[in-house]
Amino acid sequence: MSLIHCQYFSNYPSRYKRHVSKYVSLMCYRILARAFSAVVTYHNKENRAMGGGICVANHTSPIDVIILACDACYAMVGQRHGGFNGLIQRAMSRSEAHIWFERFEVKDRQAVSNRLKEHVSDPDKLPILIFPEGTCINNTSVMMFKKGSFEIGGTIYPVAMKYDARFCDAFWNSSKHTMIQYLLLMMTSWAIVCDVWYLPPMHRKEGEGAVEFANRVKHEIAQKGGLVDLIWDGQLKRMTVKEDFKKEQQKEYSKLLKIE
């Protein structure tokens, strides 16, 4: 249905197309949410992301996007694909301004940053949805936010998400389950119960670095969602710890043992 809409209405005037696109997008994502038996409660809707802003949220599951897109429309960010995924991306781009990167651009931080800055400079475009952790975390904590999203400028709209583990463990452990296996588990679960809190918009303070700003936003999200605020990189579950990080922790520990 979404593909038909994107193809058919692509030649209509932009204002009409944007209006129709919003309601068709919300309808399609809500149908997907019903397939997962999702029960979502949205709090403080007055703080939802506005055009030209950046919405950042903690990340537990691939279906986080569906949960958030049931209540508001966002510009998606990702690598450009071929095949069926590429067909969907091209169709989506005909109705709204999404951001797709070529493979060679993904490693070019400057190119990525420029594309994002260009997007947020236009208030008529949809807010960008980004998960700064860069990986799924187990619904108990919020780990290190990558600073790239906070170097762009513009308004940051934090969102805290918390799933009720009594009904379903929504965390995707990619080392244990494939995407298909995970989706089947979600569809056959009792229900996916989730609370979403929209936090007041935040801006980078004068003289504040991108890392400090990222940590400040992360703290607010963790506090609102009742999650543990951790400084560790979530990617550590896939890679070895850097020697510099080990030495830093060893120094901190040695200070505790130091006897005057």
Side-chain angles (χ1 to χ4, degrees):
M1 187 182 298
S2 182
L3 283 174
I4 294 172
H5 148 256
C6 292
Q7 294 284 357
Y8 182 75
F9 290 101
S10 60
N11 296 322
Y12 277 64
S14 59
R15 184 177 179 181
Y16 176 77
K17 181 176 66 175
R18 190 179 299 117
H19 184 73
V20 174
S21 175
K22 173 185 176 181
Y23 289 101
V24 172
S25 175
L26 290 172
M27 180 179 64
C28 290
Y29 279 112
R30 286 169 183 174
I31 291 172
L32 287 174
R34 296 296 183 271
F36 292 103
S37 300
V39 180
V40 189
T41 304
Y42 300 95
H43 307 270
N44 309 118
K45 289 190 176 186
E46 67 276 8
N47 294 325
R48 282 183 295 192
M50 304 293 287
I54 302 173
C55 177
V56 298
N58 57 299
H59 198 22
T60 302
S61 160
I63 63 176
D64 289 345
V65 175
I66 297 176
I67 297 295
L68 292 174
C70 283
D71 191 51
C73 296
Y74 299 95
M76 305 301 173
V77 180
Q79 183 176 310
R80 192 183 300 277
H81 293 280
F84 183 70
N85 287 338
L87 174 65
I88 295 175
Q89 288 180 331
R90 290 191 296 273
M92 290 174 65
S93 295
R94 287 190 179 95
S95 62
E96 289 291 352
H98 298 282
I99 305 172
W100 311 121
F101 297 102
E102 300 293 347
R103 186 181 297 273
F104 66 86
E105 289 183 304
V106 175
K107 295 183 180 180
D108 188 346
R109 292 188 59 187
Q110 188 60 46
V112 172
S113 178
N114 290 339
R115 291 279 301 279
L116 295 176
K117 285 180 180 178
E118 181 184 351
H119 185 98
V120 300
S121 64
D122 187 350
D124 291 330
K125 291 183 177 179
L126 293 175
I128 299 173
L129 176 59
I130 297 178
F131 300 101
E133 289 166 302
T135 187
C136 294
I137 308 300
N138 67 359
N139 197 41
T140 62
S141 57
V142 184
M143 294 198 175
M144 185 180 75
F145 277 9
K146 304 295 189 296
K147 67 177 182 178
S149 309
F150 303 89
E151 293 176 323
I152 301 167
T155 305
I156 297 293
Y157 294 88
V159 174
M161 302 180 67
K162 176 71 173 179
Y163 292 89
D164 193 332
R166 293 175 298 177
F167 296 92
C168 172
D169 181 9
F171 168 58
W172 180 35
N173 186 346
S174 57
S175 61
K176 186 177 180 181
H177 301 293
T178 65
M179 175 62 81
I180 300 298
Q181 290 174 330
Y182 172 78
L183 292 177
L184 287 174
L185 286 172
M186 294 300 99
M187 288 180 176
T188 55
S189 64
W190 179 255
I192 295 178
V193 181
C194 181
D195 280 281
V196 175
W197 291 271
Y198 297 107
L199 280 67
M202 300 178 68
H203 298 84
R204 189 170 170 179
K205 297 179 180 178
E206 186 176 351
E208 185 177 38
V211 174
E212 288 77 13
F213 184 30
N215 288 335
R216 184 160 61 90
V217 173
K218 178 168 68 77
H219 175 74
E220 292 297 324
I221 290 175
Q223 191 173 44
K224 192 66 177 180
L227 303 164
V228 181
D229 185 4
L230 299 176
I231 62 171
W232 307 331
D233 187 348
Q235 295 290 351
L236 288 174
K237 64 183 182 181
R238 295 190 178 92
M239 60 182 69
T240 56
V241 182
K242 294 180 180 179
E243 288 300 321
D244 291 342
F245 188 77
K246 288 182 180 179
K247 290 179 181 179
E248 183 179 342
Q249 296 301 311
Q250 289 169 351
K251 287 180 181 179
E252 292 297 323
Y253 184 64
S254 66
K255 292 177 183 178
L256 297 175
L257 300 177
K258 187 175 180 180
I259 300 176
E260 297 294 340

